Structures are given as C-alpha cells and as structure tokens.
Amino acid sequence: MRLPQIQIRTTDAKLDLHIGKPQQHIEQPEATLHIEQPAAILEIHTTRGVLKIDSSQARRDLGLIGPIEATRNAAKEGQQTALSGIERRVNEGRQIMMSAGKGQGRAIMQNIAKQNHGPHRVPFNIKFVPSIGSVKIDYTPGTTDVNIERREPIIDAKVNKPIYEYTPGKVTGTMVQRPNVDIDVIG
C-alpha cells in the first residue's frame, strides 16, 4: 500500500535594502576667557641707619687740634709753667736765706745751678699714636618694614555650548522576490 506523500516547496523572500548612514557633526568652540591680574600693593617704609664716628681724641693725640683748643691748652700750660717757676724760685730763695747765716751760701748756689742747668733725664716710654680706643664709633641700625597686599585675579570665563548636528540614517527596502509555499500531494 502506498501512502500519499506531501511535498512542500518554499521560496524565500528576497529584500533589497538601501541603508543611508546617519550623519553626526560635533564641534566644541573654545571657552571665552578673560583674565586680569591687578598689581599687588607694596609699601616699604625704612628708617636710615645712623653711624657716628668721633675721631676728635685721635686727632688730639696726633697734635691736630683746632685754634680755640690750642690756645686754651697753651694758656693752661703757660699758667702751670709760670706757677711751677714761681714755686721753684721761692724754694731756692728759702734755701739761700737759710744757708746765708751758716756760711754755705756759695755751695748752695752751686747746687741750685746744677739742678736747674744740669743734664736731665727724659723718661722714655712707648706711646701709641693715636691711642687705642681714641676713635669712638656708635651705630644705630636702620629698619625696613615691607607690607604686601595681595590682590586676587579677576577671571571671567564663558563656556560655549557645543555645536551638535545630527541627521538620522534612513533604511528603505523593496521586495525583490515574494515568499511562496507550494504544497503538492503525490499518490
């Protein structure tokens, strides 16, 4: 016995697709930027240093003195010399008066003459000219005060939005072959 057979034939559908790609354009403009830096405020206050040098004693040690002081010193030295001369003569006169009665007047006079006109010893010593410490120095240092006032920068920034363009893609299709199903029964 023969059984009937069913034959099924199919034809697939064929499509023709046209795809248009999407277009996208993005542009980012630079930010608009303005920066300003104000100058800092700077104040400087100073006081001068003071240097005082007194060399008058050193000048005196070297014999460099002014006319007023030289006159004053000469007058004082002359007065001292005159007083010591008067004192010496008074002492010599007393010696002569005391010895006049004893008969020694001639010997006393010779001794007085030897004292006044004989060889004199001059004291010898080392002397530093000018003397040590004769120049006096006094220094008062100056001061410096610095004040700085910082000033903030002025920043003006404007962000520009991006430029964005988009064209969507497009898909179109046409049916080139339609689907088909054939069914046959054999026998």
Side-chain angles (χ1 to χ4, degrees):
M1 162 159 137
R2 225 172 200 221
L3 291 173
Q5 289 184 352
I6 299 176
Q7 283 186 347
I8 301 173
R9 273 182 260 119
T10 60
T11 305
D12 291 333
K14 287 187 181 177
L15 293 174
D16 185 18
L17 296 176
H18 297 284
I19 301 172
K21 291 186 177 180
Q23 296 290 324
Q24 179 173 307
H25 176 72
I26 300 174
E27 186 179 328
Q28 177 64 58
E30 291 184 358
T32 306
L33 186 63
H34 175 74
I35 300 175
E36 186 179 330
Q37 176 65 61
I41 298 172
L42 176 65
E43 294 179 357
I44 300 175
H45 301 283
T46 60
T47 58
R48 291 185 178 183
V50 178
L51 175 64
K52 294 180 182 176
I53 300 175
D54 182 11
S55 64
S56 57
Q57 182 61 43
R59 294 175 64 81
R60 277 190 216 101
D61 290 350
L62 294 172
L64 302 172
I65 54 178
I68 296 173
E69 189 175 352
T71 305
R72 189 179 313 125
N73 290 347
K76 188 186 275 186
E77 186 179 338
Q79 184 180 12
Q80 284 288 40
T81 304
L83 290 176
S84 64
I86 292 170
E87 180 183 9
R88 182 176 58 85
R89 284 176 179 79
V90 167
N91 287 337
E92 289 172 359
R94 284 193 183 137
Q95 285 178 2
I96 292 171
M97 277 190 342
M98 298 284 212
S99 65
K102 298 180 184 171
Q104 300 173 348
R106 186 177 186 120
I108 293 291
M109 295 284 260
Q110 287 175 350
N111 285 338
I112 290 174
K114 282 181 187 177
Q115 285 176 4
N116 291 337
H117 300 293
H120 296 290
R121 289 195 174 199
V122 178
F124 177 74
N125 199 356
I126 295 175
K127 182 177 180 183
F128 293 99
V129 177
S131 60
I132 296 172
S134 62
V135 177
K136 292 171 182 61
I137 298 174
D138 181 34
Y139 178 67
T140 305
T143 60
T144 302
D145 294 324
V146 179
N147 295 322
I148 300 173
E149 183 181 330
R150 181 176 169 263
R151 297 178 72 191
E152 296 291 329
I154 299 168
I155 300 174
D156 182 21
K158 180 183 173 192
V159 178
N160 294 320
K161 292 186 177 182
I163 300 169
Y164 179 70
E165 295 175 4
Y166 177 72
T167 305
K170 195 173 189 181
V171 178
T172 56
T174 55
M175 183 76 66
V176 175
Q177 180 179 332
R178 295 207 171 260
N180 190 13
V181 177
D182 290 329
I183 301 174
D184 285 335
V185 178
I186 301 174

